[in-house]
Amino acid sequence: MSTQTLPEVDVRPEGTDHTGDDAPKMFHYVRKAKIAESAVMGTHVVALCGEVFPVTRSPKPGSPVCPECKKIYDNLPSGGDGE
């Protein structure tokens, strides 16, 4: 699974909902611009579904995505030129 990015919305999945082995159960879509800041500074990001968490992991191919985030992401308008 590759990272999906809309030109203006700029979101991608990031992980929360950890299991006992510290592996995320699923990944959430968050604003791409906030991912590096969160990973370096430990600040929290807000996923499309409203989940708030610090970025600690990156998704791997086949990682499960939060169904609520996916539904919201799929219904966002595609980015346009200059809009």
Side-chain angles (χ1 to χ4, degrees):
M1 174 168 73
S2 64
T3 301
Q4 299 173 340
T5 304
L6 289 175
E8 291 186 23
V9 178
D10 231 10
V11 293
R12 82 172 204 188
E14 283 300 319
T16 60
D17 302 326
H18 296 278
T19 60
D21 64 359
D22 199 35
K25 289 186 204 174
M26 71 178 77
F27 288 83
H28 296 273
Y29 283 89
V30 300
R31 292 200 177 275
K32 189 175 183 179
K34 299 292 184 179
I35 294 169
E37 177 186 333
S38 176
V40 173
M41 304 296 286
T43 57
H44 285 73
V45 294
V46 180
L48 292 179
C49 68
E51 179 88 23
V52 179
F53 57 94
V55 173
T56 58
R57 303 232 183 236
S58 294
K60 291 186 169 59
S63 296
V65 176
C66 167
E68 182 76 16
C69 282
K70 177 103 172 97
K71 180 179 174 184
I72 294 167
Y73 180 82
D74 289 343
N75 287 309
L76 290 172
S78 60
D81 293 326
E83 291 186 28

